[in-house]
């Protein structure tokens, strides 16, 4: 066993509910605290000196200076395996060009598909690991990574195999998601329904056989896949044994309701979600995932996070890091800005990027500092945990622990 501390403040998130609004007064903050770790898991949280006196002959990892500690963060929605760059899209969008105009000039998702297809496996692995490294530096130790820029058997499998390979080079937990249903590729000879059947017949059986992903995603939108064909596809993927997540209600409403109806783990985006669907989400186990990076990148409104929480929904916050609509990748900055516009408490934001976000990935063993949880936590050199969001991402992590080991 090992005792790590002392910390000026240990913010445990213990006893915080999975769903609904949270006041900051509900946060358990232990002063002069320590974390007792055994075999990669948290054994006990408490006063550092008390834990030290009660546990003789154990290893002590003493923290120097004034630091606070939080559970490590989870980013439950990213597209960080990709080739190329779409800075020109951003410039054109800010100059007033429409989505269609950008796509016709060679931009948009199809641009990323072409770049990713043309990139070598070595190049994709290198850039993926660099992005993972950046996320870890922010204190994010659990990272979802999607395919979706291959859009054919060869290239979707290439992406998913690279994501699997990346796990060999990082101590962070990578959760792979098959997003072959990102949009119908331009070079596919057939309609949407035929392409979705192609995914079911040609891609997902290999994904399952090689254990490349346990999750399947689809983009339900006018420019991608329509509601009824998407629902049929999702029900078929469930029959194959996959968990489901959905790109829902980004520009038009209605698809979050489909996510709930098919039992999706999460419905992500939700910028266009209407009042009645907020209530529908709130009464389900489907996590409502806000993606403020996309709102910032596109200049669109934010997900109705405040209304979702007030209705009793499970709210997660993720970065949506991708080369087009959300190129920033800084979850802490994005979550802090979302809090400002949606009036979220510090407790609600911290829950949204820790255990609630992990729950969206089917992981219930992390995101809190309490006995039995995975010993993933992050420290900041400050005397007040509120400064993490107050500085909107500019307060850098001091130490990052995965399984109780500093990395």
């Amino acid at each position: 066993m090992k005792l790590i501390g002392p910390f000026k403040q240990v913010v445990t998130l213990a006893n915080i509910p999975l769903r609904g609004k949270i006041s900051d007064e509900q946060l358990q903050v232990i002063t002069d605290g320590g974390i007792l770790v055994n075999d990669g898991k948290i054994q006990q949280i408490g006063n550092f000196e008390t834990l030290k006196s009660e546990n003789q002959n154990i290893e002590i990892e003493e923290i120097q200076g004034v630091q606070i500690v939080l559970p490590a963060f989870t980013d439950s929605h990213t597209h960080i395996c990709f080739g190329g760059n779409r800075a020109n899209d951003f410039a054109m969008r800010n100059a007033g060009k429409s989505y269609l105009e950008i796509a016709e000039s060679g931009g948009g998702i199809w641009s990323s598909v072409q770049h990713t297809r043309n990139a070598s496996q070595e190049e994709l692995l290198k850039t993926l690991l660099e992005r993972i490294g950046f996320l870890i530096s922010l204190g994010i130790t659990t990272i979802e990574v999607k395919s979706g820029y291959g859009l054919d058997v060869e290239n979707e499998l290439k992406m998913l195999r690279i994501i699997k390979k990346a796990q060999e080079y990082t101590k962070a937990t990578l959760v792979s998601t098959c997003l072959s249903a990102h949009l119908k590729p331009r070079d596919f000879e057939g309609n949407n329904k035929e392409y979705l059947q192609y995914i079911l017949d040609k891609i997902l059986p290999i994904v399952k056989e090689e254990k490349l992903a346990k999750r399947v995603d689809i983009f339900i939108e006018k420019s991608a896949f329509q509601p009824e064909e998407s629902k049929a596809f999702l029900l078929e993927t469930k029959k194959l044994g996959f968990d489901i997540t959905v790109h829902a209600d980004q520009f038009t409403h209605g698809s979050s309701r489909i996510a709930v109806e098919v039992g999706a783990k999460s419905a992500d985006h939700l910028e266009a979600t209407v009042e009645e669907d907020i209530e529908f989400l709130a009464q389900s186990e489907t996590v409502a995932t806000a993606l403020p990076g996309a709102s910032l990148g596109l200049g669109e409104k934010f997900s109705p996070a405040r209304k979702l929480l007030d209705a009793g929904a499970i709210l997660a916050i993720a970065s949506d890091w991708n080369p087009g609509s959300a190129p920033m990748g800084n979850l802490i900055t994005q979550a802090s800005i979302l809090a400002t516009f949606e009036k979220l408490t510090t407790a609600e934001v911290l829950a949204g990027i820790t255990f609630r976000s992990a729950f969206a990935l089917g992981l219930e063993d992390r995101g809190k500092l309490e006995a039995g949880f995975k010993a993933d936590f992050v420290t900041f050199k400050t005397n007040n945990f509120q400064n993490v969001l107050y500085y909107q991402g500019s307060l850098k992590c001091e130490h990052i622990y995965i399984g109780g080991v500093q990395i």
Side-chain angles (χ1 to χ4, degrees), residues 184 188-196:
K184 183 177 74 69
F188 182 82
E189 295 181 0
N191 59 30
N192 277 4
K193 186 177 180 181
E194 289 168 329
Y195 177 65
L196 292 174

Side-chain angles (χ1 to χ4, degrees), residues 352-371:
I353 60 176
T354 55
F355 70 94
R356 288 179 171 182
S357 199
F359 182 80
L361 299 177
L363 300 172
E364 300 182 50
D365 64 342
R366 64 199 67 201
K368 294 187 177 185
L369 299 180
E370 59 178 311

Side-chain angles (χ1 to χ4, degrees), residues 78-270:
T78 85
H79 303 252
I80 57 174
C81 184
F82 63 85
N85 175 288
R86 280 161 59 190
N88 192 51
D89 284 24
F90 184 74
M92 292 177 69
R93 190 160 53 241
N94 289 348
K97 299 294 184 183
S98 69
Y99 182 89
L100 183 60
E101 288 172 321
I102 293 170
E104 287 176 344
S105 69
I109 292 173
W110 186 244
S111 169
S112 291
V113 171
Q114 291 174 303
H115 284 297
T116 303
R117 287 181 177 182
N118 291 332
S120 68
Q121 294 184 35
E122 293 75 17
E123 180 185 350
L124 285 176
L125 179 61
K126 178 178 180 291
T127 53
L128 173 57
L129 289 172
E130 288 171 352
R131 294 172 192 129
I132 290 168
F134 174 73
L135 292 176
I136 291 172
S137 76
L138 301 177
I140 299 165
T141 61
T142 300
I143 305 164
E144 189 257 15
V145 188
K146 301 181 190 294
S147 67
Y149 294 125
L151 305 188
D152 62 19
V153 172
E154 177 186 355
N155 289 290
E156 282 293 297
L157 294 176
K158 179 176 79 169
M159 290 187 71
L160 291 165
R161 286 166 181 156
I162 286 165
I163 295 166
K164 185 176 182 178
K165 183 72 174 177
Q167 185 65 82
E168 299 175 16
Y169 296 91
T170 179
K171 295 188 180 300
T173 300
L174 304 184
V175 178
S176 181
T177 301
C178 179
L179 180 57
S180 300
H182 202 175
L183 82 168
K184 183 177 74 69
R186 293 181 182 180
D187 56 2
F188 182 82
E189 295 181 0
N191 59 30
N192 277 4
K193 186 177 180 181
E194 289 168 329
Y195 177 65
L196 292 174
Q197 193 62 48
Y198 168 82
I199 295 171
L200 290 166
D201 293 341
K202 303 296 184 181
I203 298 178
L204 292 184
I206 301 173
V207 171
K208 188 171 184 178
E209 179 185 353
E210 295 188 20
K211 298 179 179 179
L212 298 175
K214 295 180 180 179
R215 293 159 42 86
V216 170
D217 195 351
I218 187 170
F219 184 19
I220 306 178
E221 192 50 70
K222 289 180 179 178
S223 61
F225 297 99
Q226 307 314 302
E228 287 308 311
E229 65 194 14
S230 298
K231 185 175 183 178
F233 169 77
L234 290 170
L235 290 172
E236 289 301 314
T237 63
K238 283 193 76 173
K239 289 180 184 177
L240 292 173
F242 290 97
D243 287 337
I244 293 167
T245 184
V246 178
H247 279 61
D249 293 1
Q250 184 173 10
F251 303 112
T252 53
H253 69 85
S255 47
S256 61
R257 185 171 286 265
I258 291 173
V260 172
E261 289 171 347
V262 300
K265 289 287 187 182
S266 68
D268 302 8
H269 274 294
L270 308 177

